[in-house]
Amino acid sequence: MSLSWHGGPNGLPSLPLAGLLVAAAGLSLYVSSPTIVAVFDGSYVFDWTNFIEAGERFGTGTLYDIEPPYAFRWSPVAAWLLGFITLMPLWLWQLLHLAALLLIRPWLLAVAVLVSYPFWFDVQTGNVMTFVAVAGL
């Protein structure tokens, strides 16, 4: 059984490796499915809600008054920037997460991110880690 990466035509994975990759992607999507469903069912969006409140609290002297579920710990500059970012609707912010994947090369890495639980958790909560990871790549 060959697991060489360049074993197939045109530099694609050999058939056994491709099967393993498809199985791993399927398992990852299965594990991620509750989170993917939560993106569309109107579940509470924890980080996005914190970002909105931080933007509203900027300049009021209450930015770091932690009152669960509010727990903003970033810099005041981030709170100021979030005041602008959160003017867009949540669905657009979540769509930007998907659009950011188009910047990832090689494309197989973008597909791996697309089927991963951390990516969908980031989309569901409205966080920024996808953008941080893409900028790092």
Side-chain angles (χ1 to χ4, degrees):
M1 177 167 156
S2 170
L3 293 179
S4 68
W5 180 256
H6 298 287
N10 301 322
L12 295 174
S14 63
L15 189 56
L17 181 58
L20 286 173
L21 291 174
V22 169
L27 179 61
S28 182
L29 281 173
Y30 174 75
V31 170
S32 303
S33 61
T35 306
I36 295 169
V37 168
V39 169
F40 300 103
D41 74 0
S43 296
Y44 180 72
V45 186
F46 178 77
D47 293 321
W48 184 255
T49 305
N50 270 304
F51 296 162
I52 290 173
E53 191 162 344
E56 291 170 354
R57 287 184 179 210
F58 179 76
T60 65
T62 62
L63 185 59
Y64 298 110
D65 292 347
I66 306 299
E67 302 161 2
Y70 176 75
F72 186 77
R73 295 178 180 91
W74 296 0
S75 77
V77 174
W80 179 74
L81 288 172
L82 289 169
F84 295 105
I85 292 172
T86 57
L87 293 175
M88 73 176 74
L90 173 62
W91 64 266
L92 180 57
W93 183 250
Q94 291 172 328
L95 189 63
L96 288 174
H97 282 74
L98 291 166
L101 297 183
L102 296 174
L103 300 174
I104 297 178
R105 298 290 183 265
W107 65 269
L108 198 54
L109 179 59
V111 171
V113 171
L114 180 65
V115 300
S116 72
Y117 172 77
F119 170 74
W120 286 105
F121 182 78
D122 194 52
V123 172
Q124 193 278 321
T125 60
N127 208 320
V128 298
M129 290 312 300
T130 297
F131 305 114
V132 171
V134 170
L137 288 171

